[in-house]
Amino acid sequence: MQEINGRTKICGLIGNPVEHTLSPLIHNTLSRALGKNFVYVPFLVEDGNLKTAVKGAYALNVAGLNVTVPYKSEVISQVKEMDELAAHIGAVNTLVRCEGGYKGFNTDMTGLYRAMMSEGIVLSGEKVIVLGAGGAARAVVFMCVHFGAKAVYVLNRTRKKAEEVTEEANRTFRKNCVYALGLTEYEKLPEGKFLAIQSTSVGLFPNTEEAVIEEAGFYEKIHTGYDLVYSPFETKFMRLVKKQEGKAYNGLKMLLYQGVEAYEYFSKEAVSEALSLEVYEKMKKAMGADE
Ligand code: NAP
């Protein structure tokens, strides 16, 4: 990191908790490599303090903020402007300073898109299965339609929640390409192979021996599986995809690129793929996944 001086710009993360975040590693590594006089710090924001935190950050000339759990929806009421995709998704993870306040973006989803592109996964024209209908899954469904997926099948334990997400996405994009199913109804999927994006919390450490669907019959339908979970580094979902000859990826690159894209907004500088991958190696090391 450059020496902190009178010209140092501050960026940071607001959320609760923030202790285990990899975001400072991402942002400060990028600043060091690019010779930028930026510093990125975590800010713990207690329940009830979000409005004061955003106003205070603006008053303190903070250049940009990331927003994490539990404030990604609530923070929308505190922004001056909204990016269109973030508005559709209804969640913001990045605040970029603008005239009189902050503009809200969702780099979780553009980051996921970039992570998939970096693995050669093309969304446009693709048939996608989204497992889950929580906050992350909802954003994934919107992102898939936004980037041109041909059809999106939302499979969730609570079918009603899948139906709500489906209805909302179809209404927002004025399309009829999103369909809802229960988890056990995968046999109703049309013929052919799918890209599956695992967006539930099942399989997350310490429950590493769990997958949201266990049956081999489901995995036979998957040519590529993308798990949003990255701890453990290889999830049970990924193992089940690979067992049926599919390609499988975890969500660490999504985390990487959401940070890279936020950094690009904050610093107004493009980050190369080579530098992004250097940061990725550091993230793996920090997670103990580099062996
Ligand atoms: P959430 O809103 O709490 O939603 C949880 C989802 O998981 C719901 O669809 C829920 O189904 C399902 N689920 C939970 N337990 C289940 C079980 N035992 N069996 C079947 N389904 C179950 O959580 P979220 O915010 O969407 O986050 C989901 C995951 O995404 C988390 O693990 C998080 O780590 C990951 N994530 C990763 C990144 C990244 O950068 N890589 C970013 C964001 C999120 P019901 O509706 O039936 O309850």
Side-chain angles (χ1 to χ4, degrees):
M1 200 180 307
Q2 293 217 337
E3 194 178 317
I4 293 175
N5 57 29
R7 294 182 193 282
T8 303
K9 288 203 171 151
I10 310 231
C11 294
L13 171 74
I14 54 176
N16 186 4
V18 290
E19 295 94 81
H20 301 293
T21 176
L22 286 174
S23 290
L25 182 151
I26 300 173
H27 286 257
N28 292 321
T29 302
L30 289 172
S31 287
R32 217 173 292 129
L34 295 168
K36 289 263 174 195
N37 192 358
F38 274 67
V39 66
Y40 186 102
V41 287
F43 294 113
L44 173 68
V45 175
E46 299 283 2
D47 188 25
N49 283 344
L50 181 66
K51 186 176 176 181
T52 320
V54 175
K55 271 191 179 301
Y58 186 74
L60 290 170
N61 200 30
V62 169
L65 290 168
N66 284 126
V67 184
T68 190
V69 176
Y71 300 124
K72 289 185 188 185
S73 302
E74 193 186 337
V75 79
I76 293 173
S77 61
Q78 304 305 322
V79 302
K80 186 88 181 163
E81 294 174 37
M82 273 291 273
D83 169 70
E84 194 187 351
L85 177 61
H88 278 162
I89 291 169
V92 158
N93 80 316
T94 301
L95 299 179
V96 182
R97 195 177 178 85
C98 65
E99 187 66 41
Y102 290 97
K103 180 168 178 178
F105 293 86
N106 189 310
T107 71
D108 279 333
M109 287 307 120
T110 51
L112 172 59
Y113 180 67
R114 192 151 152 186
M116 291 200 295
M117 295 239 300
S118 86
E119 309 290 7
I121 302 168
V122 178
L123 266 181
S124 178
E126 181 62 275
K127 291 187 300 181
V128 187
I129 294 169
V130 177
L131 295 170
R138 185 181 173 284
V140 169
V141 171
F142 278 61
M143 189 268 301
C144 288
V145 181
H146 180 84
F147 287 110
K150 186 168 143 195
V152 182
Y153 300 87
V154 187
L155 275 61
N156 196 44
R157 176 178 62 178
T158 314
R159 198 182 196 281
K160 193 166 180 344
K161 274 169 76 180
E163 285 163 10
E164 283 165 12
V165 169
T166 295
E167 200 262 319
E168 224 188 316
N170 282 329
R171 184 163 26 90
T172 303
F173 291 98
R174 295 193 185 133
K175 287 191 172 178
N176 202 9
C177 63
V178 187
Y179 308 90
L181 289 170
L183 278 183
T184 52
E185 293 181 297
Y186 63 81
E187 274 157 13
K188 294 184 184 166
L189 288 164
E191 285 298 303
K193 292 259 190 178
F194 297 79
L195 162 67
I197 306 179
Q198 198 305 106
S199 314
T200 75
S201 43
V202 182
L204 187 63
F205 184 84
N207 303 313
T208 54
E209 288 311 311
E210 292 176 9
V212 66
I213 298 178
E214 302 268 353
E215 291 88 340
F218 172 72
Y219 293 92
E220 283 165 9
K221 296 176 181 291
I222 310 303
H223 64 74
T224 306
Y226 201 103
D227 199 334
L228 263 49
V229 173
Y230 54 81
S231 177
F233 201 66
E234 185 173 69
T235 63
K236 173 126 190 237
F237 169 81
M238 290 168 65
R239 281 184 269 140
L240 290 168
V241 170
K242 286 182 184 170
K243 208 169 167 186
Q244 300 303 325
E245 313 294 329
K247 291 184 182 163
Y249 305 91
N250 69 25
L252 194 63
K253 278 206 175 156
M254 170 182 175
L255 185 71
L256 165 74
Y257 287 110
Q258 66 73 32
V260 166
E261 297 219 338
Y263 188 85
E264 290 177 333
Y265 280 125
F266 299 158
S267 68
K268 322 269 184 261
E269 184 150 340
V271 175
S272 70
E273 184 65 7
L275 179 54
S276 299
L277 294 178
E278 267 179 48
V279 176
Y280 182 65
E281 290 307 315
K282 279 197 154 194
M283 292 167 76
K284 275 169 61 178
K285 205 166 179 183
M287 286 185 59
D290 59 327
E291 286 93 38

